Amino acid sequence: MENLGLFFALLGAALSAGLAGAGSAIGVGIAGRAASGVVTQEPNMFSKVLVLQLLPGTQGIYGLLIAFITLTQIGIMGGDPNISLAKGLLYFAACLPMAIGGLISAIAQGQCSVAAIGLVAKRPDQFGKAMIFPAMVETYAILALLVSILSIFGIVNVPF
Amino acid sequence: MTGAYIDKDYVYAVARIRGAELKLLNQTVMDQLIAARDADECVRLLAEKGWGDEGNTGDASEGMLSREREKMWELIDELVPEKSIFNVFRLSADYNNLKAAIKESVMEYEYPGIYISESTIDPELIRKAVKERDYGALPDSMVEVAREAHEAFLHTGDGQICDIMVDRACLSAILESGKQSKDESLEMYAELTAASADIKVAVRGAQTGKDREFLQKALCECDTLDINALTNAALQGQDAICTYLATTDYADAVEELKKSPTAFERWCDNLVIRRMKPQLYNAFGLGPIAAYILARENEIKSVRIILTGKQNGFSEETIRERVRETYV
């Protein structure tokens, strides 16, 4: 029971990488199906739709980043892995924005990418505009990432 | 959560449809076809657009049109393997084949090319079932109407009675199929098909002085029309039908109806296409696929009108009045 703090911190890191990664997998997967449909009809559209398919993949990377920083901070990657229950819960809470925000924003971005892929299929000259729509969703994944990073680095200064 | 994304949203299919929509004929191409010197030039223009088979310059224009229909259904069958989903579009072929089979059986003569492919039931099965009076071989929904229509034709020798019975059963089947699909666009198509058929029957009935019994047999219950009110109006004449329609969703049709039955038919087709246009911006679901099927059927119909018009020497203006609005 003395390692409960470590357990919660690890749970936070696992959720951050796991949920954000799952969201990205769904997002990239759904966009990939739309991209395959377009490339079946128009093989020369591959490079354009590939970019749009990859956009929902970033949340998975952000989740991994948060998990990595958390693991470093709690000493799992080297150092002293003994942290109090309170600190463990704080790390857990700090990972939540990225875990939840990553999951939902990646799915939403995937759906938006599908629509954008449809746009590019019809009007390849509007690729730039088509990229902006799903990119707008990225804002909220970045905000979640920012809050998680600031929280994790802030926990070091908490006096317990 | 993921199940919904994998099975029901037809993402791949809609993306393929987006690509296929690029090859639909737009208004500019329709104008070019209408302005063409003759039917041969139209066929050449269509061949350039990829119509017919590659390398085939299209000596027989009708062959080109049926090939385009086949190509469309090949694509749809590839994208939506569950064929019954689009039964709403194929059922009319079944009932047309049933009428053909009944007439062939009673006349005891085989007419070539009267059966339509792209149906939900093999035409040969219908032909055999009707010929041998083995109605049990038909789907449940068709058994009763097949028996009744066959017997009615045998006893009265009146082809019209047989036709109205089968047509009404067809509309009921289309409405039922639309409701079962639980897809808004398919339901809308089924409702519009039934309502427009009812209006056409009522107008023709009024013009030919049909009685209440005939109208009640011929008109099919649908949500957007009150069949009793339509029957009463039809008994009073075409003006009464127009007055009644002005109180329904089909108020805009009144003016077209007054012009001619062809103008009304064109209005109905255009209405379906207009209602389907929002599907151009929908990335998920059956809607865009259903809209593509209708758009293809509509453009094939328009091309048939243009070709027939050119072959019969109609003026550009006359042809233009009959050509349907384009989806893209």
Side-chain angles (χ1 to χ4, degrees), chain B residues 137-199:
Chain B
L138 297 170
D140 293 347
S141 56
M142 215 182 231
V143 174
E144 204 56 36
V145 66
R147 180 181 294 121
E148 283 177 12
H150 197 177
E151 279 169 12
F153 195 21
L154 273 174
H155 294 146
T156 62
D158 184 354
Q160 200 182 22
I161 294 285
C162 163
D163 284 354
I164 62 160
M165 288 165 99
V166 177
D167 286 343
R168 185 188 155 149
C170 175
L171 293 177
S172 300
I174 289 175
L175 279 171
E176 185 57 35
S177 170
K179 284 195 176 116
Q180 273 176 4
S181 72
K182 295 197 168 43
D183 180 85
E184 207 183 319
S185 49
L186 295 180
E187 273 186 68
M188 187 268 290
Y189 167 78
E191 180 64 27
L192 284 177
T193 306
S196 60
D198 277 346
I199 297 171

Side-chain angles (χ1 to χ4, degrees), chain B residues 8 13 23 26 34 36 41 47 79 107 118 135 137 145 162 166 176 205 219 242 245 251 255 264 266 272 290 300:
Chain B
K8 293 173 188 155
K23 296 192 176 85
N26 57 22
I34 295 169
E41 196 181 325
L79 297 180
M107 303 291 186
E118 306 307 340
Y135 304 113
V145 66
C162 163
V166 177
E176 185 57 35
L219 295 174
C242 291
L245 286 181
E255 211 172 299
F264 174 68
R266 181 175 185 262
V272 174
I300 291 170

Side-chain angles (χ1 to χ4, degrees), chain A residues 48-72:
Chain A
K48 283 183 176 168
V49 293
L50 182 69
V51 175
L52 292 166
Q53 186 206 352
L54 289 178
L55 282 176
T58 49
Q59 282 84 342
I61 300 169
Y62 299 161
L64 178 73
L65 178 69
I66 292 300
F68 192 76
I69 296 172
T70 309
L71 295 178
T72 315

Side-chain angles (χ1 to χ4, degrees), chain A residues 148-160:
Chain A
S148 284
I149 286 185
L150 291 175
S151 307
I152 291 168
F153 284 125
I155 291 168
V156 182
N157 305 321
V158 177
F160 52 81

Side-chain angles (χ1 to χ4, degrees), chain B residues 15-72:
Chain B
R16 291 270 310 259
I17 291 294
R18 286 288 107 91
E21 279 168 2
L22 294 173
K23 296 192 176 85
L24 286 172
L25 305 182
N26 57 22
Q27 196 52 51
T28 320
V29 180
M30 282 294 173
D31 288 340
Q32 279 176 351
L33 289 173
I34 295 169
R37 271 194 316 275
D38 51 28
D40 288 343
E41 196 181 325
C42 286
V43 171
R44 261 198 308 279
L45 273 167
L46 289 167
E48 278 170 22
K49 295 278 166 200
W51 278 49
D53 280 316
E54 224 166 289
N56 176 10
T57 48
D59 49 323
S61 54
E62 193 52 44
M64 180 185 251
L65 299 185
S66 47
R67 181 71 196 110
E68 282 307 302
R69 251 191 120 232
E70 277 169 24
K71 278 202 267 185
M72 186 260 287

Side-chain angles (χ1 to χ4, degrees), chain A residues 26 30 33-38 40-42 107 111 114-115 117-118 121-122, chain B residues 1-2 5-6 9 11-12 15-16 18-23 280 283-284 328:
Chain A
I26 295 171
I30 192 173
R33 282 155 61 204
S36 306
V38 171
T40 312
Q41 297 291 119
E42 293 290 332
I107 295 172
Q111 289 173 320
V114 169
I117 286 169
K122 280 223 143 155
Chain B
M1 191 188 283
T2 52
Y5 293 121
I6 292 165
D9 50 14
V11 172
Y12 173 79
R16 291 270 310 259
R18 286 288 107 91
E21 279 168 2
L22 294 173
K23 296 192 176 85
L280 279 170
F284 304 93
V328 289

